[in-house]
């Protein structure tokens, strides 16, 4: 009965593991959950007030497919003032989370068999979104270049079938942030070969340690007219459950994206749209700055704590988002071990849940989220340290890093 697409499509490993851990917690298990991509901060009160007002004022009907006008205008204004991008309201399509915008955009941009360049490690859903649209993910390993795609590697893999370059900065899962000059070099290659660029910038407001976020569409009109910018409210405003995101794109692409959405989900929840509008137009700057400072404290705690836990090896400094990406080959005790083995052992023996990297195309890494409280991070690191002291690593595999 099932189509080939459905039979071969796995469930989201990140969502599945997070749900499993939450179920264990609900049953009373003593686990610290570092798997999720969800900040523990509450939704800002301004957004909650906006939702309550929307209900009280009867804004509970269908909205235009691309979203209410004031929200699209506010998103365009924010992209201009914060990220230096020049979009107008008609170029904005609001969606049921940034995830829906990403899933739909490959249908809009790609013909069956078209290739999408996908740097790895990558967010778990990217290759499946591309494949569901009938396109082909072309994975480029970036482990040897600091988890960043280089223009030389990009140019070498472009074929007559290449249609899209997919970028994600700040990156999930690695936390790397591309410098402006690096993006300029990549987009120059994309323009040279007439590629569309999809830039997932959901973590763009969450950068640390002197890193500077650059929105791809801010690199100039010639780049902007080839670029689709993906963003949302889940990370910056801790509004994961509200399911509200957006795509900003050249007008023909935005119109096509709206048409696709009109035949699938229609517009996002009217209440969520008004909550998002209130988040953008309310006085949230002070609270967001406080949260950013707290997140940086957590990042530093995670980074410094991992440095004290050899043979775990933090691969690069987390510069954006809220993830640390850790090489765990030093914990292997058998030839068949991978990060999944380590993640299982940490869950069973240390009571710490981490995300194994196989589905990120990084089978020897785990992702640790510092979106939880500082107390949870400290306790998790203590538990891991205790586990390491009691673990026999004398049979460590030859795959351990030097």
């Amino acid at each position: 009965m099932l189509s080939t697409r459905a039979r071969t499509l796995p469930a989201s490993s990140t969502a599945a593991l997070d749900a499993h851990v939450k179920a264990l917690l609900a049953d009373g298990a003593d686990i610290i959950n570092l798997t999720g991509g969800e900040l523990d901060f509450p939704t800002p009160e301004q957004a909650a007030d906006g939702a309550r007002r929307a209900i009280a004022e009867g804004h509970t009907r269908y909205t235009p497919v691309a979203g209410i006008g004031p929200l699209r205008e506010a998103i365009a204004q924010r992209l201009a003032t914060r990220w230096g991008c020049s979009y107008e309201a008609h170029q904005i399509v609001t969606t049921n989370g940034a995830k829906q915008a990403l899933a739909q955009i490959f249908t809009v941009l790609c013909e069956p068999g078209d290739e999408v360049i996908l740097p790895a490690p990558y967010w778990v859903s990217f290759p499946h979104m591309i494949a569901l649209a009938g396109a082909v993910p072309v994975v480029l390993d970036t482990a040897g270049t600091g988890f960043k795609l280089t223009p030389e590697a990009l140019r070498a893999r472009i074929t007559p079938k290449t249609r899209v370059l997919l970028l994600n900065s700040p990156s999930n899962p690695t936390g790397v942030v591309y410098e402006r000059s690096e993006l300029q070099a990549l987009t120059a290659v994309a323009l040279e070969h007439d590629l569309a660029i999809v830039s997932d910038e959901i973590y763009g407001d969450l950068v640390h340690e002197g890193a500077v976020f650059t929105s791809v569409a801010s690199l100039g009109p010639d780049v902007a007219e080839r670029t689709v910018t993906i963003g949302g409210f889940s990370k910056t405003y801790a509004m994961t459950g509200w399911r509200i995101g957006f795509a900003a794109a050249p007008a023909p692409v935005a119109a096509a994206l709206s048409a696709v959405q009109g035949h699938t989900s229609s517009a996002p929840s009217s209440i969520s749209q008004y909550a998002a509008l209130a988040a953008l137009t309310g006085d949230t700057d002070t609270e967001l700055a406080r949260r950013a400072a707290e997140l940086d404290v957590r990042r530093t705690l995670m980074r410094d704590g991992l440095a004290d836990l050899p043979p775990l090896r933090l691969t690069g400094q987390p510069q954006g988002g809220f993830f640390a990406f850790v090489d765990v080959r030093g914990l292997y005790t058998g030839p068949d071990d991978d990060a999944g083995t380590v993640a299982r052992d940490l869950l069973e023996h240390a009571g710490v849940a981490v995300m194994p990297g196989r589905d990120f195309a990084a089978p020897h890494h785990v992702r640790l989220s510092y979106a939880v409280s500082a107390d949870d991070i400290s306790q998790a690191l203590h538990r891991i340290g205790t586990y390491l002291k009691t673990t026999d690593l004398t049979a460590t595999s030859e795959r351990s890093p030097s």
Side-chain angles (χ1 to χ4, degrees):
M1 178 182 293
L2 295 177
S3 69
T4 300
R5 287 192 304 274
R7 287 197 305 271
T8 58
L9 180 68
S12 167
S13 59
T14 53
L17 181 56
D18 189 55
H20 173 62
V21 172
K22 287 177 179 176
L24 292 175
L25 289 168
D27 288 338
D30 181 17
I31 297 170
I32 299 174
N33 187 6
L34 303 182
T35 67
E38 183 174 48
L39 284 163
D40 64 343
F41 301 135
T43 294
E45 191 59 30
Q46 293 89 339
D49 284 343
R52 287 188 282 265
R53 285 195 303 272
I55 295 170
E57 295 171 4
H59 297 303
T60 56
R61 306 293 184 180
Y62 292 135
T63 74
V65 169
I68 58 174
L71 176 58
R72 297 166 74 190
E73 291 171 1
I75 292 170
Q77 179 62 31
R78 188 175 187 282
L79 290 175
T81 57
R82 292 292 296 272
W83 291 1
C85 301
S86 180
Y87 288 109
E88 298 181 14
H90 70 275
Q91 296 176 274
I92 308 297
V93 179
T94 61
T95 56
N96 292 280
K99 199 169 189 176
Q100 183 189 14
L102 283 162
Q104 292 178 165
I105 198 59
F106 299 111
T107 297
V108 168
L109 295 177
C110 296
E111 300 287 355
D114 281 349
E115 295 176 346
V116 178
I117 298 289
L118 174 59
Y122 48 67
W123 178 52
V124 61
S125 292
F126 280 150
H128 305 298
M129 291 173 166
I130 294 165
L132 283 170
V136 178
V138 176
V139 177
L140 300 189
D141 182 23
T142 64
T145 52
F147 296 135
K148 291 181 178 180
L149 179 64
T150 65
E152 294 78 16
L154 172 60
R155 183 176 283 107
R157 291 300 298 271
I158 292 175
T159 76
K161 292 185 177 180
T162 307
R163 174 64 175 159
V164 177
L165 168 63
L166 174 56
L167 296 172
N168 175 211
S169 175
S171 165
N172 175 9
T174 66
V176 301
V177 178
Y178 282 80
E179 296 180 7
R180 187 176 187 87
S181 60
E182 294 169 330
L183 291 173
Q184 287 172 326
L186 290 172
T187 56
V189 177
L191 294 180
E192 176 187 337
H193 291 272
D194 198 29
L195 304 184
I197 303 166
V198 174
S199 185
D200 179 0
E201 302 178 0
I202 189 68
Y203 294 99
D205 292 320
L206 305 177
V207 293
H208 323 290
E209 199 177 14
V212 177
F213 168 70
T214 299
S215 180
V216 171
S218 73
L219 297 177
D222 54 341
V223 176
E225 68 182 15
R226 305 291 305 172
T227 299
V228 179
T229 302
I230 305 295
F233 293 78
S234 292
K235 314 304 179 182
T236 300
Y237 295 98
M239 293 176 66
T240 50
W242 297 85
R243 307 313 303 138
I244 189 78
F246 64 85
V253 176
L257 183 60
S258 181
V260 169
Q261 185 162 290
H263 290 293
T264 51
S265 67
S266 294
S269 157
S270 61
I271 306 306
S272 295
Q273 290 186 60
Y274 280 97
L277 175 61
L280 286 180
T281 58
D283 184 12
T284 59
D285 288 349
T286 299
E287 174 60 17
L288 293 181
R290 186 194 68 78
R291 295 181 181 195
E294 169 62 21
L295 192 60
D296 194 50
V297 168
R298 298 176 184 185
R299 179 194 65 86
T300 302
L301 182 63
M302 179 70 81
R303 179 198 64 193
D304 294 349
L306 287 168
D308 293 333
L309 294 176
L312 297 181
R313 187 167 64 91
L314 182 64
T315 50
Q317 299 299 316
Q319 295 180 302
F322 38 76
F323 301 116
F325 207 49
V326 179
D327 188 317
V328 295
R329 282 174 285 185
L331 280 178
Y332 292 174
T333 58
D336 297 324
D337 285 356
D338 64 7
T341 309
V342 174
R344 184 182 64 244
D345 289 345
L346 289 176
L347 180 61
E348 293 180 358
H349 303 298
V352 178
V354 300
M355 186 65 64
R358 177 173 294 278
D359 290 341
F360 298 123
H364 304 307
H365 287 73
V366 298
R367 189 191 73 180
L368 283 69
S369 171
Y370 51 89
V372 299
S373 70
D375 286 344
D376 278 352
I377 294 170
S378 295
Q379 182 62 24
L381 293 170
H382 174 74
R383 291 184 181 191
I384 294 172
T386 300
Y387 167 72
L388 293 178
K389 290 176 182 177
T390 61
T391 300
D392 180 12
L393 298 177
T394 57
T396 299
S397 160
E398 293 180 357
R399 286 179 290 178
S400 300
S402 58

